[in-house]
Amino acid sequence: MVEQLKDEFKQQFGAGASHVFFAPGRVNLIGEYTDFNGGHVFPCALDLGTYALVRARTDNVVRMYSSQFARVGQVTWALDALVFDAAKDWSNYPAGVLAVLQQAGCGLAHGFDVLFWGNLPNGAGLSSSASIEVCTAVLAQHVYGLDLSMVQLVQIAQRAENQFIGVNCGIMDQFASGFGRAGHAILLDTNTLKFEHAPVDLWDEFTLLIANTNKRRELAESNYNLRRAECDAALAALQTVTAIGALCDLSVAEFERHAHVIVDENARRRARHAVSENQRTLQAVAALNQRDLLTFGQLMNASHVSLRDDFEVTGLHLDALVNAAWQAGAVGARMTGAGFGGCAVMLVRSAQAAAFQAQVEQAYLSETGLNADFYAVRIGEGARLLEAVL
Ligand code: GLA
């Protein structure tokens, strides 16, 4: 694949690339909508993601091309004019990272040519956008000889999404892309950024599947920002009676004791989800460490129910897919990522995986008229330089 991309780079830009980078997408196993509430998340990096081939230029021009968006063609940015431009389509993601690097005081002394290619389904909730952002941050680190830690690179990628793209996301996706480790999920405390890698050992007995609703996320950005605002409102109400910095500072019992001060019912339910999801995440990681995958699966199910009823981000297609998985005997199944369409993650017994998939596919098709796509989860490494071409 990379060889083919090198040829494509030459065709686009007239000479060969000097470096090849990769940053993965992620699937979140549990801990949804806890990351901007100071809670825990438990994502893992995939072996799918975004590749970038680069060659430095001597002027201040950055030329970008994506073979997945050939219709958009080559896009040119000047390093002294990095301002969001809808007409420049997908290239706003990498441009946003460069803009944030500049704001952070990193001198970008010259431009470069870059070709991107990715094998994640776009807009499916597997963090295609975080993967291109983190890929750009890591390539900038090399191209400009910056001395930033991976945490800083990840934070810069998140800031690009917040400030340049306008989605007030938390840090989970970019963090998972930067800190992935093959065979491991990442238990991250989003309050302190302390994390540990937990082995995801299913001993061939169980299999993790991603199922794509093939329903593109609708209004995901505006709904996402609305949910965040509702959580902030709930926090502000709770802070009048208890000294907390984030919703997930509360245990479920503490939350229930104070919940009445959140007058707005929607805000109260959003907060209830965040607090209970944080507790489920810690319980799920403990269950996984004890090799109790049945409990892990039940917590995945409970997570989906809470995202459906309290947080209200599932929608018809994700509910149909997850219901079908439950009917077909999943050990656990839930939506993953921001919701509003996109993907679900399912834990199934390996011996039943083929029959399970066929049954879910059929049930989902007859319920929605759409075909679902399935991917076996392979947990990969985080963002990195793949190759320096000499
Ligand atoms: C999106 C965001 C993340 C996180 C999830 C929900 O993926 O980018 O920061 O909030 O939604 O858990």
Side-chain angles (χ1 to χ4, degrees), residues 197-354:
H197 286 112
V200 179
D201 186 354
L202 308 176
W203 335 279
D204 297 333
E205 195 183 336
F206 298 93
T207 300
L208 276 169
L209 290 175
I210 292 171
N212 189 349
T213 58
N214 281 322
K215 164 82 181 150
R216 263 192 88 84
R217 286 173 301 164
E218 259 168 27
L219 297 177
E221 285 75 14
S222 53
N223 278 321
Y224 188 95
N225 289 347
L226 175 61
R227 289 295 177 277
R228 184 156 188 170
E230 289 167 335
C231 288
D232 289 347
L235 175 63
L238 287 166
Q239 283 170 330
T240 62
V241 291
T242 174
I244 52 169
L247 288 179
C248 293
D249 289 349
L250 294 174
S251 68
V252 170
E254 286 163 343
F255 173 77
E256 291 305 339
R257 209 163 45 243
H258 297 305
H260 63 93
V261 300
I262 311 169
V263 178
D264 182 76
E265 207 221 305
N266 278 342
R268 199 182 323 130
R269 285 191 291 129
R270 309 305 184 231
R272 176 170 290 124
H273 163 75
V275 173
S276 66
E277 181 77 355
N278 187 43
Q279 176 172 303
R280 275 187 294 275
T281 305
L282 293 172
Q283 288 169 341
V285 176
L288 182 68
N289 288 338
Q290 288 157 19
R291 304 189 151 211
D292 180 0
L293 287 185
L294 298 186
T295 300
F296 191 91
Q298 281 162 8
L299 289 159
M300 290 173 77
N301 297 344
S303 167
H304 186 86
V305 169
S306 178
L307 287 156
R308 183 190 68 197
D309 298 345
D310 278 344
F311 216 70
E312 295 186 274
V313 289
T314 55
L316 194 110
H317 294 80
L318 277 167
D319 285 338
L321 193 55
V322 168
N323 281 335
W326 289 340
Q327 293 286 319
V331 176
R334 57 181 292 276
M335 58 152 270
T336 185
F340 307 108
C343 286
V345 56
M346 303 171 176
L347 181 65
V348 299
R349 290 187 186 278
S350 305
Q352 291 160 13

Side-chain angles (χ1 to χ4, degrees), residues 26 28 31-36 127 169-173 224 337-338:
R26 63 95 190 92
N28 189 22
E32 217 66 81
Y33 282 102
T34 47
D35 67 346
F36 55 70
S127 296
C169 66
I171 196 146
M172 170 171 73
D173 303 348
Y224 188 95

Side-chain angles (χ1 to χ4, degrees), residues 3 55 81 92 105 107 144 163 183 216 245 278 298 316 334 365:
E3 293 312 309
R55 192 193 56 220
N92 281 288
Y144 297 112
Q163 295 170 5
R216 263 192 88 84
N278 187 43
Q298 281 162 8
L316 194 110
R334 57 181 292 276
L365 176 64

